[in-house]
Amino acid sequence: MDLQELNKRFSSPILSFAEGPGGRPLARLQNEYGSADVALHGAHVLSYEPAGNEPVLWVSQKAIYEDGKAIRGGIPVCWPWFADHPSDSSMPAHGIARTQSWKVIEPRANRHLALQLEPTDWSHSIWPEKFELRLEITLGPALEIRLEAANKSNRPFQAGAALHSYFHISRINAITVHGLENTTFIDKLDNDREAQEADPISFDREIDRIYVETEAACLIRDAGLNRTIRVAKEGSRSTVVWNPWIGKARRMGDFGDDEYVSMVCVETTNAERDVVTIQPGENHVLMARLSIDS
Ligand code: BG6
C-alpha cells in the first residue's frame, strides 16, 4: 500500500503516514501527550517525544534503512529468539521480525497504531512455524508497546522476544539504572557467568547482561538531563542491559564510534530460562510502557 492509500484507509486526527528515513513509510502518532514515529519496516518505533520533553529514544546517525537490515536504535522487535538462535548460528540475530515489512491493520481502539506480521516465504524457510504477530502502539501518558504473538501451528513452539529499546541519555557516565539490584544476571561478557549486584547499575565499560526472572520496572536516572525514564513491563521475565562502549561501537558498521556515550539499552525481554512456550491456538503478550517520571 502506498502512502496515499495508507492515509486514506487508516489516518485519523492522531495518526498519519509519511515518508520516513530511507524513503520508507512511517506512521506518525501525535496527540496532546506527544508524538511517536514508527517505521513499517520492522514495526520499529523510531522516536518518542512526550509533550514538553526531550526525545526518549536514541537512533544512530549511521543507522541503515534497507530491506533485510535492522535499524540501529529505536525499538527493534526481536522474535522468536533473542540474540543468537539457540542452536543454529547461521540464523539471523534477534529473529525474523525486525527486518521485515509489517502491514497496517485496523486498530482495536483509537489512540492506537496496529501492525501485523504473518509468515512469509523467507521466514518460513528459516523458521517453519505458523504465527501471527501484532504490535499495537498507544500514545497516552506513557508510550505503550504491546506485542501479541499467536501460535497458528498445530504444535507448541518456544518464543524468545525483546522490545530492544535504545534510550537517549545525556552521557553514559551520568546515568544509573535502578530496579535490578540483587537480581541474577547472565554476563555475556564473562562466559555467561551468573552474578548479582547490590547497587544500581552505573557504566564505565561495556555491559551486556541478561537479568532473569524479573518483572521489575526499571528507572534510568539521568543527572545530565535531570529526568528519569521509567520502563515498566508485562509478560516479560528478563531485562537486558547493554552498552557496547567504544570497542564494540567501532566494530559495528551502523554505529558511530563515539555514539555509545549518548545511549543505553534497557530491553523488555524473554530470554534464556524465561523463553515462553506458546500452545497451538494460544498467544502471548509482551508489553513495555515507557514514560518520564515527574
Ligand atoms: C543486545 C545484545 O541485546 O543486542 C548484544 O545483548 C548485542 O549482545 C546487541 O550486541 C545488538 O545486537 P544486533 O544484532 O542488533 O547488533
Side-chain angles (χ1 to χ4, degrees):
M1 231 185 260
D2 65 18
L3 286 175
Q4 210 180 351
E5 277 176 294
L6 284 168
N7 275 311
K8 203 165 144 208
R9 266 196 71 185
F10 299 105
S11 71
S12 71
I14 63 123
L15 176 64
S16 59
F17 297 85
E19 191 176 289
R24 278 143 192 280
L26 189 79
R28 163 156 282 209
L29 285 161
Q30 194 154 24
N31 61 19
E32 71 270 31
Y33 296 107
S35 65
D37 287 345
V38 183
L40 304 193
H41 176 78
H44 196 127
V45 182
L46 289 178
S47 74
Y48 168 40
E49 281 193 47
N53 227 293
E54 290 242 1
V56 169
L57 299 175
W58 173 94
V59 177
S60 172
Q61 307 275 345
K62 297 183 99 183
I64 297 168
Y65 301 89
E66 273 177 21
D67 284 347
K69 294 235 157 70
I71 301 165
R72 178 68 64 200
I75 312 183
V77 176
C78 306
W79 196 88
W81 58 88
F82 172 80
D84 295 335
H85 183 273
S87 58
D88 183 349
S89 61
S90 69
M91 298 282 207
H94 290 314
I96 55 177
R98 65 177 181 161
T99 52
Q100 298 197 73
S101 192
W102 291 49
K103 207 165 86 182
V104 183
I105 54 170
E106 284 300 334
R108 277 190 269 230
N110 51 16
R111 290 204 290 149
H112 273 166
L113 165 69
L115 300 168
Q116 182 200 47
L117 184 71
E118 290 179 307
T120 59
D121 290 346
W122 174 76
S123 75
H124 195 76
S125 71
I126 57 173
W127 197 68
E129 308 301 342
K130 292 197 187 117
F131 65 88
E132 183 194 357
L133 290 183
R134 274 168 183 254
L135 193 80
E136 289 180 356
I137 297 149
T138 309
L139 183 57
L143 184 73
E144 192 175 282
I145 305 113
R146 179 183 190 275
L147 177 68
E148 181 176 328
N151 181 348
K152 304 273 180 188
S153 290
N154 52 15
R155 56 185 180 185
F157 61 64
Q158 288 209 309
L163 298 168
H164 187 313
S165 316
Y166 289 75
F167 293 99
H168 161 67
I169 54 168
S170 62
R171 247 196 118 67
I172 191 69
N173 56 13
I175 67 155
T176 42
V177 174
H178 302 247
L180 299 168
E181 300 82 53
N182 303 311
T183 303
T184 300
F185 64 86
I186 297 168
D187 192 344
K188 292 180 77 174
L189 303 175
D190 189 8
N191 293 316
D192 290 347
R193 191 175 66 91
E194 294 199 2
Q196 292 193 354
E197 283 177 359
D199 294 328
I201 308 164
S202 54
F203 299 78
D204 58 5
R205 68 203 134 91
E206 182 180 355
I207 281 197
D208 195 351
R209 297 177 177 174
I210 303 172
Y211 286 84
V212 290
E213 295 171 341
T214 172
E215 293 175 355
C218 286
L219 298 177
I220 305 170
R221 293 219 160 106
D222 188 332
L225 288 177
N226 196 21
R227 75 171 180 187
T228 298
I229 299 171
R230 175 179 291 271
V231 187
K233 59 182 197 163
E234 281 175 32
S236 158
R237 303 259 305 150
S238 328
T239 297
V240 173
V241 179
W242 179 57
N243 180 287
W245 218 252
I246 192 156
K248 190 156 182 181
R250 284 197 177 130
R251 293 195 296 277
M252 288 187 283
D254 58 353
F255 200 116
D257 291 357
D258 297 324
E259 285 186 314
Y260 74 95
V261 296
S262 53
M263 57 69 67
V264 69
C265 284
V266 176
E267 307 166 30
T268 297
T269 305
N270 283 316
E272 301 287 339
R273 67 192 70 157
D274 300 322
V275 160
V276 295
T277 300
I278 309 179
Q279 299 297 329
E282 310 246 297
N283 58 27
H284 178 265
V285 175
L286 176 70
M287 186 143 80
R289 226 176 261 117
L290 314 181
S291 58
I292 302 292
D293 269 13
S294 48

